Amino acid sequence: MRRLYAVLLTFCLALATAGPAQAAPQTIGNGVRFTDVTGNPVHAHGGGIIKVGAYYYWFGEHRNDDNTFRYVDAYRSADLKYWEFRNHVLTEAGDPELATANIERPKVMYNAATGMFVMWMHKENGSDYSEARAAVAVSDTVDGDYEWRGSFRPLGQHMSRDITVFTDTDGTGYMISAARENYDLHIYRLTADHTGIASLVANPWPGGHREAPALFKRDGVYFMLTSGWNPNQQQYATATSPAGPWSAMRNVGDATAYGSQTAFVLPVQGSSGTSYLYLGDRWGNSFGGRVNDSRYVWLPLTFPSSTSMSLSWSPEITVDTEYGATRFAALVRDALVLGHPVPEGRVRRGRSPWDVPTGTGASQAPLASALHTSAGAEAFRG
């Protein structure tokens, strides 16, 4: 115990002399309503996050009392906990098409060739879901006013509902959306400026009835995470190219995704590597409320192998954006605050607030055992 306190004291002194402050590790509660730095609810439902410079920008739905479109809101944060409201980046007044509408799942991507930020979203007429259209808006600043470019069915023919976007490492843009009354999930390659559809590159699971897609890439492997409507069993598949071939869908998490639906998967990249954070919505209508009452469920994704994924529950998580770490908060707290024994070796690779040199012996067994018998092991170590 004395050694642990000495390590913590050394770490605190190092922080005091280390120069300009960095984003500190933050604990984030799950299944709760987030508030911004002024205390107002964060309305970023069905949203996505893009990192620009030192900040993460979170975009999402902000609806009227009747659940129709009011705004797409933008917030920013350096640490993923303290969010500053920036702008209603898209509003009802932005275009006649938006005066009465449903705008869902807005996702923003950056086009390096044009220097423009491009927002893709699902658009309906505000009274039913018969339009099933994709829509585009653009801005030359990440949190500026987005110019409406219109809505359409991809390639002039395909229905388009739940939607996400992905920018590959070579700059190629992709849009993924639910088609054919949500029975298919289409993967489209975007035009060079990311504002249009160039081609349909894959329809990997025809008849699969998967919605709420989130696409990300880890160590050369593409992962597609999907859901159905209402809290249900999430599934994922993998490929070595967005065009496929894709694997069959496999279950991940529990039977209700811990009371949530996929919104986005955020890579948290830092000096010690990259971790991946599941962002889910616990929709208000699933517990008798409205969309604006919705809660958020954020959980670390872990990877038992290069092509497998695990999602486990924790009532709170710890996020360290400086080091690229997302962890189960209870494990970090037990190790560093309560003085519980930590497993053999180091808690994390590289310099981090969670780098705690450890000794040997039976005293380390309890936490080490817990780590090795749950998804917490991978989540704790990164």
Side-chain angles (χ1 to χ4, degrees):
M1 181 69 77
R2 185 176 301 165
R3 184 177 181 182
L4 179 61
Y5 287 145
V7 170
L8 290 174
L9 178 60
T10 301
F11 168 66
C12 291
L13 290 174
L15 282 183
T17 59
Q22 302 292 325
Q26 299 293 345
T27 297
I28 298 172
N30 257 322
V32 297
R33 200 175 192 183
F34 289 9
T35 56
D36 66 18
V37 293
T38 67
N40 292 314
V42 170
H43 292 297
H45 314 296
I49 294 177
I50 181 173
K51 190 178 185 186
V52 180
Y55 289 100
Y56 293 86
Y57 290 83
W58 188 11
F59 299 84
E61 305 169 24
H62 186 170
R63 302 207 193 183
N64 292 308
D65 288 343
D66 64 357
N67 276 342
T68 57
F69 169 67
R70 186 176 186 185
Y71 308 121
V72 172
D73 283 352
Y75 302 82
R76 77 175 185 183
S77 173
D79 59 15
L80 296 176
K81 179 171 183 175
Y82 294 102
W83 292 96
E84 173 195 3
F85 172 76
R86 297 295 292 169
N87 191 17
H88 302 305
V89 295
L90 192 69
T91 74
E92 294 167 296
D95 189 271
E97 253 196 297
L98 296 170
T100 303
N102 282 339
I103 295 295
E104 300 180 353
R105 297 187 172 271
K107 304 291 189 294
V108 172
M109 60 199 313
Y110 178 66
N111 187 286
T114 64
M116 300 294 286
F117 294 90
V118 182
M119 181 188 299
W120 283 83
M121 61 213 105
H122 166 209
K123 191 263 177 181
E124 299 286 355
N125 60 25
S127 59
D128 59 39
Y129 278 72
S130 61
E131 284 191 341
R133 296 165 76 90
V136 177
V138 299
S139 174
D140 58 4
T141 57
V142 63
D143 54 4
D145 295 334
Y146 278 68
E147 175 191 349
W148 182 253
R149 291 287 183 88
S151 67
F152 55 91
R153 286 196 169 185
L155 302 177
Q157 57 180 311
H158 298 296
M159 302 176 78
S160 181
R161 289 185 177 146
D162 281 7
I163 195 169
T164 196
V165 296
F166 171 74
T167 305
D168 211 340
T169 47
D170 64 0
T172 303
Y174 294 89
M175 187 274 279
I176 301 91
S177 68
R180 198 167 65 88
E181 300 290 357
N182 301 333
Y183 279 92
D184 294 346
L185 195 62
H186 285 178
I187 303 173
Y188 299 98
R189 182 172 58 84
L190 298 178
T191 55
D193 65 2
H194 291 176
T195 66
I197 303 294
S199 63
L200 173 62
V201 300
N203 178 21
W205 310 281
H209 209 278
R210 305 307 299 168
E211 304 177 29
L215 175 62
F216 65 99
K217 185 179 183 180
R218 178 182 181 270
D219 296 339
V221 177
Y222 298 83
F223 286 78
M224 183 79 77
L225 181 61
T226 66
S227 174
W229 175 237
N230 286 328
N232 64 89
Q233 180 66 64
Q234 309 236 15
Q235 296 184 323
Y236 73 98
T238 59
T240 56
S241 165
W246 284 86
S247 72
M249 287 283 177
R250 290 168 278 180
N251 291 346
V252 65
D254 75 353
T256 69
Y258 311 107
S260 72
Q261 186 184 42
T262 314
F264 196 68
V265 172
L266 175 66
V268 181
Q269 185 173 6
S271 60
S272 289
T274 302
S275 58
Y276 297 83
L277 189 60
Y278 166 85
L279 311 183
D281 293 292
R282 183 169 291 172
W283 293 108
N285 54 7
S286 72
F287 53 83
R290 298 169 300 181
V291 168
N292 284 349
D293 302 316
S294 299
R295 279 45 172 163
Y296 302 101
V297 173
W298 288 15
L299 294 167
L301 288 168
T302 60
F303 301 88
S305 73
S306 62
T307 58
S308 63
M309 182 168 67
S310 179
L311 180 67
S312 299
W313 170 254
S314 176
E316 56 184 22
I317 63 171
T318 297
V319 176
D320 185 340
T321 57
E322 181 184 353
Y323 295 98
T326 58
R327 301 292 176 263
F328 295 109
L331 298 179
V332 176
R333 183 178 61 246
D334 285 352
L336 296 186
V337 178
L338 301 180
H340 287 187
V342 294
E344 190 70 31
R346 286 183 178 271
V347 175
R348 273 203 45 77
R349 299 185 298 269
R351 184 178 64 87
S352 167
W354 304 330
D355 276 346
V356 181
T358 60
T360 60
S363 66
Q364 309 208 336
L367 185 56
S369 175
L371 291 171
H372 284 288
T373 56
S374 72
E378 173 70 14
F380 199 52
R381 293 195 186 92

